[in-house]
Amino acid sequence: MISSPYDELHIYYLSGRLDAGSQVFAGGYLGNWEEEDTSFLFFSRPAGEEVNALLAGQPHLNLLDSFKMTYEQWQGGSIEPMQIGGFELRPPWRPGAENPPGENPRRLILDPGLVFGSGTHPTTADCLRALETAFSQNNPGTALDLGTGTGILALASAALGCRRVLAVDLNPLASATAARNVSANAMTDRILVVQGRAEALIDCPAELLVANLHYAVLDKVMAAPGFGKKLQVILSGLLRSEAKAAKERLRQRGFRIDRSWEHEQTWFTLYAVSASF
Ligand code: SAM
């Protein structure tokens, strides 16, 4: 069994973005979460000296703060093997992850790393259930997963039988995490992970769209010409008023809402099919 590399997190919060190709840290470096003009460097051990050396070489960077927390605090709970619908999700550091899927092709190795998509959030879980619904009606050969995070929904789509999946995330740390999970599940022949904007890639042809994204992005996604060409659509990350607006937009774009899921009247997930489905 591999032990989790994430027991303790040491986080360095910087203003500015690192120069391209400059991530040369010694052991213990876990990744860089970049957002707007800030960077969060994650290590599994204290790394003040390395960070100071980095700042000396890149004067546009400034250390704003540093934090220490446990991985559980970061993820909002412990990452354990879990079952959602027919999917078995297993972190690589838990026993059994090294064995091939065997009788359950829906057994997925999932290392959430530092990004969203461990399976613990209700929107992720409902998207997995929605994928099972979508594949029970038809077998989409191609899928587009916008806002892939850990890659969990792309992996699930491939496990359900999709031949080609394009998984997209704006965040470089998320796309790197998703790519690692695709390799861990030996699905590189079926899933391509790219770093990019959902709004820019929605027009890529695919029979099935799954998008667990905040509404500001979903709103643009639903307006794109390529959105109306999808046959099956799963939208999630919707709050109650957003779900209402999304249903209306889906109808306007020629979709029929086939099924919906809600969690504590807060998070909504919609599964809709096109009139030409
Ligand atoms: N698909 C995973 C799941 O269902 O658990 C992760 C969903 S998480 C709620 C949303 C993801 O969308 C994050 O990883 C975030 O980085 C990404 N994201 C946010 N805005 C985006 C955009 N405009 N284009 C692509 N990805 C985006």
Side-chain angles (χ1 to χ4, degrees):
M1 176 172 73
I2 316 166
S3 64
S4 161
Y6 312 115
D7 289 341
E8 201 172 71
L9 299 177
H10 297 262
I11 306 166
Y12 297 82
Y13 173 32
L14 312 180
S15 64
R17 285 185 172 227
L18 276 62
D19 292 341
S22 64
Q23 294 182 357
V24 244
F25 294 110
Y29 175 61
L30 298 171
N32 174 11
W33 180 285
E34 293 182 326
E35 209 165 290
E36 305 297 333
D37 196 35
T38 58
S39 308
F40 293 83
L41 301 177
F42 287 81
F43 294 83
S44 59
R45 53 160 184 74
E49 280 182 23
E50 279 112 319
V51 172
N52 283 337
L54 173 81
L55 297 180
Q58 297 188 35
H60 64 283
L61 299 174
N62 283 300
L63 181 64
L64 299 176
D65 210 342
S66 62
F67 319 91
K68 181 180 154 189
M69 61 174 78
T70 64
Y71 186 54
E72 289 187 12
Q73 285 171 319
W74 173 258
Q75 282 287 1
S78 172
I79 299 298
E80 300 295 338
M82 69 182 101
Q83 180 94 32
I84 301 172
F87 293 102
E88 274 178 63
L89 307 175
R90 192 166 285 274
W93 54 85
R94 291 286 183 214
E98 61 282 3
N99 302 328
E103 285 178 7
N104 185 6
R106 298 187 200 177
R107 207 187 73 187
L108 299 171
I109 298 165
L110 192 77
D111 179 350
L114 302 162
V115 305
F116 193 106
S118 64
T120 53
H121 197 271
T123 57
T124 312
D126 283 341
C127 281
L128 290 173
R129 295 184 184 104
L131 282 171
E132 289 189 321
T133 300
F135 280 82
S136 71
Q137 306 218 356
N138 180 288
N139 266 330
T142 52
L144 181 59
D145 173 16
L146 297 180
T148 196
T150 58
I152 183 169
L153 304 179
L155 297 170
S157 303
L160 287 166
C162 226
R163 293 186 316 279
R164 290 273 179 274
V165 186
L166 181 63
V168 177
D169 205 290
L170 183 58
N171 188 302
L173 190 54
S175 54
T177 304
R180 204 171 58 222
N181 282 320
V182 170
S183 294
N185 287 279
M187 288 180 175
T188 49
D189 56 337
R190 280 170 283 163
I191 305 175
L192 176 66
V193 181
V194 296
Q195 190 215 331
R197 283 194 178 275
E199 306 88 308
L201 289 155
I202 173 63
D203 290 332
C204 292
E207 291 158 60
L208 170 71
L209 168 70
V210 57
N212 183 3
L213 281 165
H214 50 100
Y215 195 70
V217 181
L218 278 182
D219 196 40
K220 292 180 188 146
V221 162
M222 285 189 288
F227 179 80
K229 295 185 183 149
K230 308 292 181 276
L231 297 178
Q232 294 168 279
V233 167
I234 296 166
L235 301 181
S236 191
L238 298 161
L239 296 167
R240 191 203 308 238
S241 59
E242 296 166 347
K244 205 167 162 240
K247 280 181 185 170
E248 189 50 39
R249 291 288 294 277
L250 281 162
R251 289 190 192 104
Q252 285 165 1
R253 300 284 334 243
F255 288 90
R256 169 174 61 78
I257 318 292
D258 191 80
R259 200 166 159 191
S260 62
W261 293 257
E262 56 89 12
H263 180 82
E264 294 179 348
Q265 284 293 305
T266 305
W267 293 112
F268 290 78
T269 299
L270 306 176
Y271 167 58
V273 295
S274 135
S276 43
F277 177 59

